[in-house]
Amino acid sequence: MSVLENVSFGHDASLIRHVSDPVGSVDWCYMHSNPGDLYHPCFSERLLRELKRCQENIRRSVASEDPADASIHHLVLASDADVFNLGGDLALFSRMIRAGDRCRMLEYAKLCIEVAFNLHRLYEDRVHSIAVVQGDALGGGFEAALCCHTIIAEEDTGMGFPEVLFDLFPGMGAYTFLTRRVSPVTAERMMLNARVYPAEELLEMGVIDQVVPKGEGLRAANELVRKHKRIGNALRSMNAVRQACRPASLEELLSVTSEWVDAAMRLSDRGLRTMDRLIRAQQRRADQDSAVAMAR
């Protein structure tokens, strides 16, 4: 596949690697590109800002296309790390909660929601989003995948919501988008049991759309894009029908995330201590990954 790649290199290299096909019908966005030492593959403020900027660039490109063209545009979200995304920036959460900084916490949450909504509805009915999950997707990482129209996961990947371990809930789109795939009762159970579900079980539940062998996720996404070229007009219509019958609004998502912020600011010392233990575990993982990278 011939591609045009948008990525900067050097000390300030982007955490998003954006690859476009020459005719502009597919954009591939890879998270966690060019990580520095001890990088943690979560939704840091920097990653969110860069992903939002990438989405806005794609939106402008799609908006400039002929609206009479019946074809569908594809946005593929993937990762350059060995995981898809491990969720929110817990170290940042801990600092903001202890400082009582609700305003900054809300700013972070709103940024998450803007990125999430863009994955679901980037520009009118003209974009179909695909999440390629290669490695675990936890918390906000799982939510990001759920925002997409199609979820492709590789074997041996896990997805779940660990937030309840420190007495919080996933508030960046989990309920809105999970209840479009399973019943509200099942969605709430998944949001509150802290279980990491194997991809194969999620496929049986209808939460994800396809499971492929390890290393085959991107190829499967490319094949799906190829198949969609024959039904672009129908896919655009389904986007419109879905929004008419079961709309996902930015207002709904912001309302839920405001409750998430309030809940976060109420966390007890016990909840914060549990969060600190998870932060240390994540740091140990980052240390190990850095050591492996240096040994290569």
Side-chain angles (χ1 to χ4, degrees):
M1 177 179 63
S2 178
V3 295
L4 302 175
E5 187 162 347
N6 260 333
V7 61
S8 58
F9 295 94
H11 181 71
D12 295 322
S14 175
L15 293 176
I16 297 294
R17 182 165 61 92
H18 175 201
V19 182
S20 302
D21 72 341
V23 296
S25 63
V26 190
D27 285 277
W28 304 74
C29 297
Y30 298 87
M31 300 178 286
H32 320 305
S33 182
N34 307 299
D37 293 340
L38 305 182
Y39 176 78
H40 180 59
C42 68
F43 275 121
S44 65
E45 289 181 297
R46 179 185 168 193
L47 179 65
L48 287 164
R49 285 194 298 268
E50 292 182 6
L51 183 53
K52 182 183 175 184
R53 185 161 55 246
C54 180
Q55 291 171 332
E56 290 171 345
N57 289 338
I58 297 169
R59 179 191 287 120
R60 284 192 291 270
S61 176
V62 174
S64 69
E65 298 171 0
D66 181 2
D69 184 353
S71 63
I72 191 83
H73 192 96
H74 285 85
L75 167 60
V76 183
L77 182 67
S79 169
D80 276 340
D82 62 351
V83 298
F84 183 74
N85 194 294
L86 298 182
D89 189 339
L90 298 185
L92 178 64
F93 294 173
S94 179
R95 292 196 301 271
M96 290 190 292
I97 293 168
R98 285 188 163 96
D101 196 344
R102 185 186 186 281
C103 289
R104 178 130 184 256
M105 196 75 158
L106 184 60
E107 288 177 3
Y108 173 92
K110 286 181 176 178
L111 181 58
C112 289
I113 291 304
E114 289 168 355
V115 169
F117 187 74
N118 285 342
L119 290 171
H120 180 69
R121 190 169 176 82
L122 184 62
Y123 185 73
E124 298 177 347
D125 62 356
R126 292 162 64 179
V127 180
H128 183 97
S129 53
I130 302 171
V132 179
V133 182
Q134 301 169 293
D136 290 349
L138 303 178
F142 191 13
E143 287 173 300
L146 288 167
C147 294
C148 296
H149 300 111
T150 299
I151 304 174
I152 299 171
E154 294 187 354
E155 294 173 346
D156 299 325
T157 58
M159 294 171 239
F161 299 112
E163 289 88 345
V164 75
L165 294 175
F166 45 86
D167 199 18
L168 203 54
F169 76 100
M172 312 300 181
Y175 191 86
T176 295
F177 294 109
L178 194 52
T179 54
R180 281 155 173 75
R181 292 174 175 266
V182 296
S183 72
V185 170
T186 299
E188 291 182 25
R189 183 168 60 246
M190 293 178 68
M191 291 168 65
L192 294 175
N193 64 12
R195 185 177 167 214
V196 177
Y197 290 80
E200 293 77 7
E201 183 176 350
L202 292 172
L203 179 65
E204 292 178 1
M205 296 170 65
V207 175
I208 66 175
D209 303 287
Q210 191 175 355
V211 175
V212 299
K214 199 167 186 63
E216 293 293 313
L218 296 176
R219 185 203 61 76
N222 197 46
E223 177 64 16
L224 183 64
V225 169
R226 186 189 66 79
K227 291 179 179 178
H228 279 179
K229 289 181 179 179
R230 300 194 297 269
I231 58 170
N233 192 50
L235 286 171
R236 284 186 59 175
S237 296
M238 288 307 301
N239 280 347
V241 169
R242 190 184 304 110
Q243 188 64 15
C245 297
R246 295 202 64 188
S249 69
L250 186 60
E251 292 74 21
E252 174 187 326
L253 292 166
L254 289 172
S255 176
V256 173
T257 208
S258 293
E259 174 57 36
W260 177 86
V261 171
D262 289 339
M265 301 309 294
R266 295 194 301 264
L267 279 183
S268 66
D269 288 341
R270 180 181 178 182
L272 287 170
R273 288 195 300 271
T274 301
M275 187 183 292
D276 289 341
R277 286 196 294 272
L278 291 174
I279 293 169
R280 289 193 293 271
Q282 291 174 348
Q283 188 59 56
R284 286 194 297 271
R285 177 171 182 161
D287 292 343
Q288 292 168 357
D289 291 345
S290 179
V292 170
M294 292 178 64
R296 288 173 180 169

